[in-house]
Amino acid sequence: MADERAAKILAAIGGADNVIELEPCITRLRCELEDDSLVNEAALRALGVHGVVRMGAAVQIVVGPEADTIASDIEDLL
């Protein structure tokens, strides 16, 4: 079952309709998004995210070693 943090991270990246693909990578969530302008970096930082790296439509969200769990929780919400 997804936790509240995963739901808030999903909302901060524009919601389920904005996610094309999301996968964990050690300490990051690698996200391919429809519209990266919908990413709310301030909201992500308020959730304890360590950083946000943008590369075109791809966004990497540095969440720490719990990336696998958060990605799984977000997948449950998609």
Side-chain angles (χ1 to χ4, degrees), residues 1-22:
M1 176 177 236
D3 74 3
E4 188 173 319
R5 186 176 185 212
K8 289 180 178 178
I9 289 173
L10 180 59
I13 61 172
D17 290 342
N18 196 37
V19 176
I20 297 171
E21 186 172 345
L22 184 140

Side-chain angles (χ1 to χ4, degrees), residues 5 14 17 19-20 30 33 40-41 44 55-56 58 63 73 76:
R5 186 176 185 212
D17 290 342
V19 176
I20 297 171
R30 291 184 176 182
L33 304 173
N40 184 337
E41 289 190 39
L44 290 169
M55 295 180 291
V63 294
D73 288 347
D76 289 345

Side-chain angles (χ1 to χ4, degrees), residues 11-15 17-18 33-41 54:
I13 61 172
D17 290 342
N18 196 37
L33 304 173
E34 291 282 346
D35 182 356
D36 70 310
S37 71
L38 297 178
V39 174
N40 184 337
E41 289 190 39
R54 294 174 182 260

Side-chain angles (χ1 to χ4, degrees), residues 9-10 13 19-24 29-33 61 67 70-72 74-75 78:
I9 289 173
L10 180 59
I13 61 172
V19 176
I20 297 171
E21 186 172 345
L22 184 140
E23 64 182 27
L29 301 173
R30 291 184 176 182
C31 310
E32 184 179 347
L33 304 173
I61 303 167
I70 294 171
S72 177
I74 290 174
E75 288 290 335
L78 297 177

